[in-house]
Amino acid sequence: MGVSDSSQDLWSEVEVDALRRIFPLGFFEHHLSESLRPDGRPLGKARDTIVKLGLVSSANGSALAKIGSTTMLASITMEVMTPCIDSPDQGCIALEFHMPPICSPTVETVAPVISKRLSDTILSCGMFDLNELCLVSGKAAWMCCLDIHCLDADGALFDAALLSAVAAFSNLQIPLVALNDNGRIVAITGEKEEHENKEAVNKEKRKLMIKNIPFSLTCILHKNYILPDPTAEEESIMDTLVTVVLDSSDQMVSFYKSGGNALAYSSAIKSCVELARERAKELKQILGDL
């Protein structure tokens, strides 16, 4: 009795899945030799990217960024603080990156690294002027509490987290505040009539003036291949990961490398930078369409 076509197809799928698990590197290199990624992408293509704004109603600004299956939700809550003595006219950013253990078995090592890189990138690129967050010199300023939650981790976590943060800042509205009877600054949350006898500190809600936007692209370097926007499976197999961060003017903000026994060769770095520039154009278009 012959085997049905559906049974043959099922058996073929089982064989492919077994090969993928038992010989993962061989499985990937077979696809690479045919100029394809296992998910069907051409070698140099990033995954489809979606950005949505204002999904967290309790936040002053929020955004969801999805790159392939990797999904990040960023929310910003504004809090009034006393500025530092050394910078009496500046506010600050407090960033927390949240990644539940179900997302990755390496969460304890991955999450702090991503959090530090995000803070360094946002501050070093001069995304906006911290003086804009000043309310009363030496007495009150805004602290932007940026929380980024990883909802799904399928590779290129830093890229998705940074994109969600940038989009959340573009969605941010600085709330109204007034001086209460005790001379303390309080947020205006109700009807204006409740605060009409109090001295207003700012007259209307406003957006931050964003001066410089950072964009990033993570690439895998494997033999003679450069693979942008890797999945978690690809990251777990390949040796060298490179992340390039560029600003709005295509100037390099930072460069991160992990894995590999030696520094990536210069021609590969140049190719990664060129891919990052092309990716930045795509992301600018996505943010511009929001």
Side-chain angles (χ1 to χ4, degrees):
M1 180 180 293
V3 180
S4 66
D5 290 342
S6 60
S7 297
Q8 288 179 338
D9 291 341
L10 178 60
W11 183 248
S12 296
E13 290 178 7
V14 171
E15 288 180 326
V16 169
D17 185 60
L19 177 64
R20 189 171 195 158
R21 287 185 287 107
I22 298 172
F23 304 106
L25 186 56
F27 177 83
F28 272 77
E29 289 185 340
H30 171 72
H31 282 78
L32 297 182
S33 67
E34 297 183 351
S35 299
L36 280 177
R37 311 273 281 274
D39 59 10
R41 281 184 286 163
L43 298 185
K45 183 174 175 56
R47 292 170 291 178
D48 291 340
T49 301
I50 298 172
V51 177
K52 295 183 179 180
L53 302 180
L55 298 184
V56 182
S57 59
S58 59
N60 300 112
S62 62
L64 181 142
K66 186 172 183 179
I67 301 177
S69 296
T70 299
T71 308
M72 300 285 173
L73 179 64
S75 61
I76 302 172
T77 303
M78 305 295 285
E79 295 183 4
V80 178
M81 67 163 197
T82 302
C84 297
I85 297 176
D86 295 337
S87 51
D89 297 317
Q90 291 185 349
C92 72
I93 300 170
L95 188 150
E96 292 285 341
F97 179 75
H98 308 273
M99 186 174 174
I102 195 173
C103 283
S104 171
T106 60
V107 60
E108 292 184 358
T109 56
V110 171
V113 171
I114 293 177
S115 182
K116 177 68 165 56
R117 287 181 179 178
L118 287 169
S119 294
D120 291 346
T121 297
I122 291 172
L123 292 174
S124 65
C125 79
M127 189 172 173
F128 53 84
D129 189 350
L130 292 176
N131 288 304
E132 276 200 70
L133 300 177
C134 181
L135 289 167
V136 178
S137 179
K139 295 183 177 180
W142 287 115
M143 177 168 61
C144 301
C145 300
L146 171 61
D147 289 282
I148 303 175
H149 294 264
C150 179
L151 305 183
D152 195 345
D154 187 22
L157 302 185
F158 177 84
D159 299 347
L162 180 60
L163 181 59
S164 71
V166 167
F169 274 113
S170 74
N171 180 246
L172 174 65
Q173 283 199 323
I174 297 178
L176 298 171
V177 289
L179 290 174
N180 65 12
D181 294 333
N182 298 321
R184 295 179 62 86
I185 291 178
V186 295
I188 298 177
T189 56
E191 297 296 328
K192 288 186 178 181
E193 288 76 7
E194 298 178 14
H195 305 273
E196 61 183 5
N197 295 323
K198 296 180 174 62
E199 181 182 351
V201 176
N202 53 356
K203 304 298 184 182
E204 59 184 12
K205 290 184 178 181
R206 64 181 178 86
K207 288 184 170 291
L208 277 177
M209 180 72 71
I210 297 179
K211 300 163 58 178
N212 207 358
I213 299 177
F215 299 100
S216 68
L217 179 68
T218 298
C219 298
I220 281 177
L221 305 184
H222 179 68
K223 295 183 178 179
N224 294 324
Y225 298 104
I226 300 175
L227 310 175
D229 184 26
T231 63
E233 189 177 16
E234 289 173 326
E235 288 182 351
S236 69
I237 295 169
M238 307 302 182
D239 287 336
T240 305
L241 280 176
V242 169
T243 300
V244 179
V245 183
L246 304 176
D247 64 14
S248 303
S249 303
D250 284 342
Q251 299 300 308
M252 186 179 294
V253 175
S254 59
F255 176 87
Y256 302 104
K257 174 184 172 290
S258 61
N261 296 323
L263 184 65
Y265 44 92
S266 59
S267 61
I269 293 175
K270 290 179 181 179
S271 297
C272 289
V273 171
E274 288 304 315
L275 287 170
R277 287 185 175 133
E278 292 302 314
R279 179 61 170 161
K281 291 178 183 178
E282 295 176 16
L283 297 178
K284 286 177 187 178
Q285 183 65 51
I286 291 171
L287 293 175
D289 290 340
L290 297 177

